Amino acid sequence: MIRLFFLNFAPYLIWGIFSLHAFNADAQRPFKQFEPDNFDSTYYNQFSSNKIIPKEISKQVLIALSYFPELKNTPIEFKFSKKHSPLATAPTFVSCFKSESKRKFIVTISNNTSPKLTPILFYNLPYNAQIGVIGHELSHVSDLSKKNFLALMRIGAGHLSKKFMDNFENNTDMICIKHGLGYQLMDWSKYVRTVLKIDEWYGADNPESFMAQGKKRERYMSPPVIQSYINQMPLYR
């Protein structure tokens, strides 16, 4: 078991396996607010295997990885690049043709985008929200690492469907919450909606994010929805 230096924070949750209400019991307990000091150096030994992580974001990434024990040995490269979308995750092209257990993933973090999206670039996010959005990307890795080649192709084709992508990203948020990063995901969700002055976030490549709000669709979970799932899950009690 990995030990966190939770300053004056007493563990208050019970380990277990739940259906909608739980995740792998080897992962960390939920924690409401991470700060740079809430870091155990043993994370480097525990979760850095087969990972390429820029030094400046190693704490945030390794904390998020501690909630995904199933990815302990999965090859993942985190890299900065000029990209319109603030973050994106995908298996490498070659590894798509390999078995699920041999896949390698790239998490691309944008360091330069359009002025409209600059406020939500990774380096502009609060620390807790940074862990939350990395948790969302690791939820993609956790999900895609279980898919066979045909399933990956269906997901690729599904990017042409708004309904498919709404369900896909919503399910990814649910994976993140089940793994114990619900509070961090909620901080990210609040921040994006606040700084962009929007009610719903449909993604960087979707102009609907900045159009008239009040629609019934939801692609990425809103803060009230995230809170409702946190309230339902014994993991967070």
Side-chain angles (χ1 to χ4, degrees):
M1 183 62 63
I2 300 166
R3 181 166 56 87
L4 278 177
F5 292 152
F6 292 158
L7 301 179
N8 299 317
F9 183 76
Y12 59 94
L13 299 165
I14 300 173
W15 294 102
I17 298 177
F18 317 96
S19 53
L20 165 66
H21 316 294
F23 68 112
N24 190 320
D26 290 332
Q28 295 285 9
R29 294 179 176 90
F31 187 54
K32 283 191 175 182
Q33 184 70 39
F34 283 106
E35 301 292 345
D37 289 341
N38 300 133
F39 184 78
D40 187 337
S41 60
T42 60
Y43 283 169
Y44 286 108
N45 296 327
Q46 292 282 348
F47 296 106
S48 60
S49 177
N50 294 323
K51 308 297 186 295
I52 300 174
I53 307 170
K55 184 177 180 180
E56 60 266 39
I57 62 168
S58 61
K59 288 184 177 181
Q60 299 94 309
V61 170
L62 289 167
I63 288 173
L65 280 166
S66 73
Y67 285 84
F68 291 83
E70 73 273 23
L71 302 180
K72 198 169 185 179
N73 297 310
T74 302
I76 307 174
E77 178 181 356
F78 298 83
K79 68 177 185 179
F80 289 104
S81 179
K82 182 179 179 179
K83 194 175 180 68
H84 181 65
S85 180
L87 286 99
T89 297
T92 62
F93 178 76
V94 173
S95 68
C96 287
F97 301 93
K98 297 181 179 181
S99 64
E100 294 89 325
S101 63
K102 295 183 178 180
R103 291 224 179 95
K104 176 182 178 180
F105 292 85
I106 306 291
V107 178
T108 304
I109 303 170
S110 177
N111 54 13
N112 194 341
T113 186
S114 65
K116 186 180 291 186
L117 294 174
T118 296
I120 63 170
L121 286 180
F122 187 82
Y123 60 78
N124 286 327
L125 301 177
Y127 190 79
N128 212 43
Q130 289 179 341
I131 295 171
V133 74
I134 289 294
H136 176 89
E137 299 307 315
L138 291 177
S139 297
H140 278 309
V141 176
S142 180
D143 183 32
L144 297 177
S145 64
K146 301 179 182 72
K147 307 291 187 185
N148 61 28
F149 176 75
L150 289 178
L152 291 180
M153 294 302 100
R154 283 194 291 269
I155 291 171
H159 279 67
L160 300 174
S161 165
K162 291 181 180 179
K163 183 177 180 180
F164 178 91
M165 291 308 299
D166 288 348
N167 291 333
F168 179 69
E169 293 294 356
N170 210 266
N171 179 65
T172 302
D173 278 346
M174 179 61 78
I175 293 171
C176 187
I177 296 169
K178 287 182 179 180
H179 276 73
L181 287 174
Y183 295 119
Q184 287 66 41
L185 184 69
M186 184 159 58
D187 276 2
W188 174 79
S189 181
K190 286 179 179 178
Y191 184 83
V192 168
R193 285 160 173 76
T194 298
V195 298
L196 296 183
K197 297 179 174 61
I198 56 176
D199 298 323
E200 295 295 340
W201 172 239
Y202 299 112
D205 297 317
N206 197 328
E208 285 185 76
S209 291
F210 303 97
M211 294 169 63
Q213 299 293 300
K215 299 183 178 181
K216 293 183 179 180
R217 323 177 17 223
E218 183 175 76
R219 177 164 297 185
Y220 298 89
M221 289 187 187
S222 65
V225 171
I226 296 171
Q227 184 66 64
S228 71
Y229 283 118
I230 287 175
N231 294 342
Q232 291 175 38
M233 296 183 187
L235 168 66
Y236 289 88
R237 293 175 189 167

